[in-house]
Amino acid sequence: MIFETYFSKELEQLEEEKYKNSIIIMIDILRASTTICSMLFNGAKEVLPCPNPDDAWQRYRERDGINCVLAGEARLKLPKGFGLGNSPTENTSDKVKDKTIILSTSNGTKIFTKAVPANYRIIGSFVNADAVIDFILRNKQGTNSIIILCAGEYGEPCEEDLLCAGYFIDHLMQDKQDVLKAHSKEAELLYLDHKDDIPSALNQCKHSQDLYDLGFRKDVEFAGKLNICSVIPLISRQNIITSAK
Ligand code: MLT
């Protein structure tokens, strides 16, 4: 298996062809991929990722707002008229159960509609890591590469995303023929350095400090908890995210 890991600013240079016969794991630990896992775990029907609040409002109006919730953030602030933010600890089941969540965030939702030709596109995080790994191991027939896309922050790499990419690589590599490309080796080494204490590694990330300053410490703590939301968020060809059965 070939493992490739990229940062969001590199995606424009990648040909769509690359994604054929691949499985994609999309990561935005703080916080969009963690939030989507908690929303689906709490019973949300589906999540529609949007690149910005205006696009989210358009999708909302197309559905006459029926059974829909606008959620997300723009530069860490709640967009006007949104019912939910981008906090994985605030979207409790009373707020999301059986709802269509129309989600717009500063970084994560901008990559979740990429790589359409892939065999599977999966939202990955620490909170659902082993469920994703198990799904990939059961469904990798016909797959030549596992491509990990890290959302980062405003185009710059985030260490927490690379750390999670390293977790996936370390747990999915199975034999000596495996090849690590782009940032995959860097991700694996980062994970091996911090494998025994992911929460404290997260605690030292820059984005965590920004979230602490805004009162979202509990989100960072939640995001570092392995396997507490055992869901497999799959992104359909129509860019709708639902939990695999
Ligand atoms: C996102 O999740 O897209 C952003 O990284 C910002 C955040 O909500 O923490």
Side-chain angles (χ1 to χ4, degrees), residues 201-219:
L202 272 195
N203 183 45
Q204 291 149 32
C205 295
K206 179 193 172 298
H207 196 157
S208 300
Q209 302 308 317
D210 297 341
L211 291 168
Y212 293 161
D213 294 346
L214 290 167
F216 290 116
R217 178 174 293 273
K218 60 186 183 330
D219 288 359

Side-chain angles (χ1 to χ4, degrees), residues 139-174:
N139 292 279
K140 64 178 187 173
Q141 299 79 357
T143 297
N144 301 328
S145 59
I146 292 174
I147 301 175
I148 302 175
L149 306 182
C150 296
E153 195 177 22
Y154 311 118
E156 292 309 311
C158 280
E159 191 164 74
E160 66 271 16
D161 296 343
L162 201 63
L163 181 65
C164 190
Y167 183 98
F168 283 116
I169 293 164
D170 186 66
H171 287 75
L172 286 167
M173 282 176 73
Q174 291 199 307

Side-chain angles (χ1 to χ4, degrees), residues 28 30-33 73 76 86 105-109 152-154 207 211:
D28 182 16
L30 297 173
R31 300 170 286 178
S33 56
E73 52 71 45
L76 294 177
N86 186 34
T105 69
S106 306
N107 303 287
T109 56
E153 195 177 22
Y154 311 118
H207 196 157
L211 291 168

Side-chain angles (χ1 to χ4, degrees), residues 28-101:
D28 182 16
I29 295 299
L30 297 173
R31 300 170 286 178
S33 56
T34 301
T35 294
I36 288 171
C37 289
S38 72
M39 286 175 166
L40 294 174
F41 187 74
N42 289 333
K45 177 187 172 197
E46 60 195 0
V47 179
L48 276 55
C50 300
N52 55 61
D54 289 345
D55 183 73
W57 270 110
Q58 184 185 332
R59 304 287 290 274
Y60 183 84
R61 291 191 184 102
E62 285 166 358
R63 295 167 176 250
D64 297 325
I66 295 166
N67 208 36
C68 293
V69 175
L70 282 163
E73 52 71 45
R75 294 207 166 263
L76 294 177
K77 291 193 174 15
L78 188 72
K80 191 171 170 7
F82 275 36
L84 273 178
N86 186 34
S87 167
T89 58
E90 290 176 358
N91 48 63
T92 47
S93 52
D94 58 302
K95 295 176 189 157
V96 302
K97 187 161 176 46
D98 300 326
K99 301 281 188 190
T100 291
I101 310 295

